[in-house]
Amino acid sequence: MYNFNQTIERRGTGCVKWDEAPEGVIPMWVADMDFAVAPAIQEAIRQRAEHPIYAYTLVGESYYQAIISWFQRRHQWTIAREHILYTTGVVPGISCVLKALTMPGEKVVILSPDYNCFFSSIRNTGCVVSESILQQCHNTQGRFEVDWDDFEARCADEKTTVFLLCNPHNPTGRVWTREELQRMSNICHKHHVRIVSDEIHCELIMSGHTFCPMATIDPTAVILNSPSKSFNIAGLQMANIICTDAETRRRIDRAININEVCDVNPFAPVAGMAAYNESEQWIDELCAYIEDNYHTLCDFATKHLPCWQVMPMEGTYLAWVKIQDCGDVDAYTKKLEDEAKVWMNPGTMYGEESGKGYIRINLACPRATLLEALERIKNIQK
Ligand SMILES: Cc1ncc(COP(=O)(O)O)c(C=O)c1O
């Protein structure tokens, strides 16, 4: 049993999440976790650190085999070695893939609200964001669903060339079902739109839900993933791009080189291998802990925070909460920070219109931290 209740002091370690937060404020914003990484990863890093040279790094065959084995074992997805490229992160990877697949002025469809860097990556590539707004569905306890007519109309737009999917979905916590993914794929094929799927959250799945890799439905989709989010090693900066088509892969590889995001540090592949080869039990226990945190939040909100409606969280560790009758969410999150000393993200970061009325809460923290934050919020709402 791993101890996710342990509180680890992160202030003073150059930690974005804590050191950017004013003294006394509990940060529940940026998506990293306050948990120690799996022991196998710590040990692998320690061993690598003992070798006193940290120079340019080759990524060995065993790294690729770790990825192939993990996705076969955990997600029944067969990946061919030659289809894998690596780069310094999922966001740099998205930027390269968009460069390879689009021309400036083209449209990229996303399901809004959506991960904030999607907006900037699309714009930085000279493309236009086409937001298909997710609809809250009342007969599935408020879960968000695709507005299929709107999605198809956007894909049918002759300027649209790419659909950038977040699977599972940050910030709404949706784990798209096989049927939904199939429908997205059918529409994209019909209108000759390429699918790019960011699957960085794919290990963070709550019970009763199953992650389906988009490539198992649509082998032409370009997939981005990394153990970084689920194993809390994002600071090591490495991600993988899986692309079956040789010509597309060549173009992506070229973009990786042009963008100069082709070299990784010596610790990243070592940590990635320890995650995929030796930390399976850890990730299972982590998901169970996060799920308990989610239930803790729901129970607390039901009892003490009447204006909070917590959306179903099927995956990720990011709760998406509707705030009723609290006015503007930017002002609301500012009040949370100033008065309750808790930093949560306003939904408008994930869609100026689609995120109105929502906040995003990072639940990847010890339960005591979560409860302390909720108590503080309860106290200012009296
Ligand atoms: C959907 C999604 N993609 C990518 C990232 C960041 O990936 P990276 O740090 O590898 O660039 C995040 C971080 O929160 C994310 O939520």
Side-chain angles (χ1 to χ4, degrees), residues 31 89-92 115 118 166 170 198 200-201 228-229 234 239:
V90 167
V91 172
Y115 174 46
F118 281 11
C166 192
N170 169 12
D198 172 346
I200 197 171
H201 291 274
S228 61
K229 190 78 23 190

Side-chain angles (χ1 to χ4, degrees), residues 11 15-27 29 337 343:
R11 280 193 194 271
C15 158
V16 168
K17 185 181 187 181
W18 284 85
D19 287 326
E20 278 194 13
E23 198 52 46
V25 168
I26 299 176
W29 63 293
E337 186 179 334
W343 182 354

